[in-house]
């Protein structure tokens, strides 16, 4: 009996990109290995992405050869120290559960490096191949987002050592964005692939993508759903744009995160009544909000590290028959311009550029993104990616 260890800090029913990517990928991998005498052990956490979204999940599930181990974490509110404590608890728990077990392949999907590092430690202990799925360049992000000299002098160099050990040990690294390619040239040992995020079937089955692009709201509704953190920089764009646009436009922000209080403070300071903040909702409920919108919104803060990324939210939004407005740069800006019709890309944090576009936007348009949807179905991407993982058994 062979055994695959699958590491993902987030998994269904949690609400975040890591969960949406890894839940169906693990199911596809289990399916492909069902008749190969393989056990797939997924180690993840009980839902914890947002303190304002509470959903029940089993600590242990078993379906055929798929076994899901969900680890309970201390309560946290997305602060940096909270996240460090939560991950340390996850790391120790997974290590203890695998201390006396062997593995024939270790897979880790990681955005913050340390899930990848845990994969490296387990793979090294078991003398097993390590397959990494990298969703963000954590060292780059830390260097840009945190201005503290302590971070830059002490923490970033330490992270670079951890990064080098982890990535140089890996047999295979999948980069979720082609924008990461140049950064990873320094790590010569692994084989590389570029399986991106994709579109989930629940969005494909519901949406037609061919009708009029805007709803008939008297006040034009712009909807954002997702994390509200420093990385998204909503506090640097939405209050400013809302003030310029006035009450002919309304922003609906659905989500939670470390910068939500900062966003709320900016809204309050400006006395805005055309920005509404809602807590996270289920994906079914979220789709109804998208349906009622006139525009769908995406934004990343103005940091060099974010010029390399490819946000998973693009794939979700592009299934709806709505214009997409995106404050992004670099690789993601080029991707949207080349792949997503009826989209407008503006410079991150440029409220004037955003407001001018919205004021001059046309009221009606026909939107058909069937080619995009077919090209980026998550099921197609997962099938090929799982096949590449099985090759290392």
């Amino acid at each position: 009996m062979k055994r695959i260890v699958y590491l993902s800090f987030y998994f269904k029913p949690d609400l975040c990109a890591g969960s949406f990517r890894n839940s169906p990928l693990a199911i596809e991998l289990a399916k492909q290995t069902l008749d190969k005498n393989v056990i797939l052990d997924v180690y993840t956490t009980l839902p914890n992405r947002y303190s304002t979204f509470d959903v029940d999940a089993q600590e242990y599930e078993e379906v055929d050869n798929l076994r899901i181990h969900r680890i309970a974490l201390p309560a946290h509110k997305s602060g940096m120290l909270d996240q460090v404590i939560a991950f340390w608890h996850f790391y120790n728990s997974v290590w203890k559960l695998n201390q006396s077990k062997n593995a024939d392949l270790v897979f880790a999907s990681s955005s913050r490096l340390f899930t990848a590092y845990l994969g490296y430690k387990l793979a090294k202990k078991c003398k097993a191949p390590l397959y990494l799925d990298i969703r963000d360049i954590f060292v780059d992000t830390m260097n840009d987002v945190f201005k503290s000299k302590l971070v830059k002098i002490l923490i970033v160099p330490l992270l670079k050592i951890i990064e080098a050990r982890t990535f140089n040990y890996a047999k295979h690294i999948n980069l979720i964005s082609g924008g990461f390619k140049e950064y990873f040239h320094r790590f010569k040992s692994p084989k590389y692939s570029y399986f991106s995020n994709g579109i989930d079937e629940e969005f494909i089955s519901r949406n037609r993508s061919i009708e009029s692009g805007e709803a008939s709201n008297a006040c034009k509704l712009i909807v954002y759903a997702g994390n509200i953190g420093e990385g998204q920089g909503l506090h640097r764009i939405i209050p400013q744009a809302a003030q310029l646009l006035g009450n002919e436009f309304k922003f609906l922000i659905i989500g939670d995160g470390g910068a939500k209080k900062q966003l709320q403070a900016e809204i309050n300071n400006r006395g805005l009544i055309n920005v509404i903040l809602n807590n996270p909702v289920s994906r079914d409920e979220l789709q109804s909000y998208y349906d009622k919108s006139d525009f769908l919104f995406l934004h990343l803060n103005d940091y060099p590290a974010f010029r390399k990324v490819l946000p998973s939210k693009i794939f979700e939004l592009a299934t709806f028959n709505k214009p997409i407005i995106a404050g992004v740069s670099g690789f993601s800006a080029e991707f949207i311009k080349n792949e997503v019709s009826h989209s407008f890309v503006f410079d991150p944090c440029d409220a004037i550029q955003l407001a001018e576009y919205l004021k001059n936007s046309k009221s009606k348009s026909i939107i058909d993104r069937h080619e995009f949807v077919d090209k980026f179905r998550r099921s197609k991407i997962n099938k090929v990616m799982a096949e590449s993982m099985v090759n290392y058994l």
Side-chain angles (χ1 to χ4, degrees):
M1 178 74 72
K2 292 187 176 181
R3 179 171 178 262
I4 300 174
V5 170
Y6 190 118
L7 304 174
S8 174
F9 195 73
Y10 298 112
F11 206 77
K12 66 176 184 178
D14 223 338
L15 295 178
C16 61
S19 172
F20 303 150
R21 178 170 182 79
N22 284 288
S23 305
L25 179 58
I27 291 168
E28 175 62 33
L29 181 59
K31 177 183 172 183
Q32 290 192 20
T33 56
L34 181 59
D35 60 352
K36 299 181 187 297
N37 205 30
V38 172
I39 290 294
L40 176 59
D41 274 318
V42 173
Y43 292 91
T44 185
T45 62
L46 285 166
N48 70 96
R49 186 63 179 93
Y50 301 115
S51 60
T52 50
F53 182 79
D54 187 24
V55 61
D56 290 331
Q58 295 177 297
E59 290 193 22
Y60 180 77
E61 283 185 73
E62 185 171 337
V63 181
D64 295 326
N65 64 328
L66 174 63
R67 304 189 300 202
I68 303 169
H69 311 259
R70 293 187 180 91
I71 294 163
L73 300 180
H76 67 90
K77 293 189 176 181
S78 299
M80 180 55 66
L81 181 59
D82 283 352
Q83 291 180 58
V84 170
I85 294 169
F87 185 81
W88 185 246
H89 186 84
F90 174 67
Y91 183 104
N92 283 333
S93 299
V94 174
W95 185 260
K96 287 176 183 175
L97 288 169
N98 283 273
Q99 207 161 22
S100 60
K101 296 179 181 178
N102 196 26
D104 298 282
L105 172 65
V106 177
F107 171 85
S109 183
S110 185
S111 66
R112 295 175 188 157
L113 181 60
F114 292 102
T115 303
Y117 181 69
L118 174 57
Y120 153 70
K121 295 293 285 185
L122 287 173
K124 190 175 181 183
K125 178 184 81 74
C126 298
K127 297 182 173 60
L130 175 63
Y131 190 122
L132 295 178
D133 178 44
I134 300 301
R135 308 196 315 271
D136 196 7
I137 303 175
F138 187 62
V139 173
D140 240 16
T141 303
M142 288 286 288
N143 208 27
D144 282 353
V145 173
F146 292 93
K147 305 305 179 187
S148 163
K149 288 185 178 179
L150 179 67
V151 170
K152 294 182 182 295
I153 295 173
L154 296 179
I155 297 178
V156 169
L158 176 62
L159 290 176
K160 286 184 176 179
I161 293 170
I162 293 170
E163 180 187 68
R165 287 181 182 174
T166 302
F167 295 159
N168 282 320
Y169 183 85
K171 291 289 185 185
H172 189 116
I173 298 179
N174 180 69
L175 302 177
I176 209 164
S177 168
F180 296 165
K181 188 174 183 178
E182 184 177 349
Y183 183 91
F184 276 81
H185 277 169
R186 72 193 74 182
F187 309 113
K188 305 296 184 183
S189 301
K191 180 180 178 181
Y192 289 95
S193 57
Y194 299 90
F195 298 112
S196 71
N197 269 304
I199 304 165
D200 293 305
E201 294 300 321
E202 62 196 281
F203 288 104
I204 295 171
S205 60
R206 174 164 174 160
N207 296 298
R208 287 74 49 199
S209 300
I210 54 173
E211 295 183 9
S212 171
E214 296 182 33
S216 56
N217 298 311
C219 172
K220 297 298 182 188
L221 181 63
I222 304 154
V223 174
Y224 170 88
N227 194 45
I228 306 174
E230 180 65 25
Q232 290 71 39
L234 300 186
H235 55 285
R236 296 184 62 192
I237 183 68
I238 287 177
Q240 296 83 342
Q243 192 164 36
L244 290 170
L245 288 165
N247 294 333
E248 292 181 15
F249 291 85
K250 181 188 292 183
F251 286 88
L252 173 60
I253 314 302
I254 303 166
D256 204 348
K260 188 172 184 177
K261 288 183 179 178
Q262 200 171 352
L263 174 59
Q264 184 68 69
E266 283 287 341
I267 294 166
N268 294 343
N269 289 341
R270 296 168 187 266
L272 299 172
I273 61 172
N274 59 336
V275 182
I276 300 170
L277 296 186
N278 282 0
N279 287 333
V281 298
S282 69
R283 295 185 99 185
D284 283 343
E285 190 176 349
L286 177 60
Q287 292 192 55
S288 68
Y289 282 111
Y290 285 161
D291 284 336
K292 295 171 186 173
S293 72
D294 294 286
F295 300 92
L296 298 175
F297 186 75
L298 173 71
H299 189 264
L300 292 176
N301 215 333
D302 190 17
Y303 293 127
F306 296 153
R307 295 169 193 162
K308 303 181 182 76
V309 304
L310 184 61
S312 62
K313 187 63 67 172
I314 294 170
F315 300 93
E316 180 178 301
L317 299 184
T319 65
F320 290 81
N321 55 326
K322 308 290 178 177
I324 294 172
I325 46 180
V328 295
S329 60
F331 186 82
S332 53
E334 291 304 310
F335 180 88
I336 293 171
K337 289 173 184 176
N338 293 333
E339 299 284 0
V340 184
S341 67
H342 298 84
S343 58
F344 172 71
V345 176
F346 67 96
D347 295 331
C349 305
D350 191 333
I352 294 173
Q353 194 180 4
L354 170 59
E356 286 179 351
Y357 166 75
L358 287 168
K359 286 178 179 178
N360 297 318
S361 62
K362 303 296 182 182
S363 60
K364 295 290 181 182
S365 59
I366 302 300
I367 297 177
D368 184 352
R369 298 194 182 111
H370 279 108
E371 286 188 18
F372 179 89
V373 170
D374 186 60
K375 182 176 181 180
F376 291 102
R377 283 177 180 265
R378 199 188 293 274
S379 57
K380 290 173 64 173
I381 295 169
N382 285 348
K383 185 175 186 298
V384 183
M385 185 172 176
E387 287 171 355
S388 78
M389 293 159 65
V390 171
N391 288 334
Y392 287 93
L393 278 177

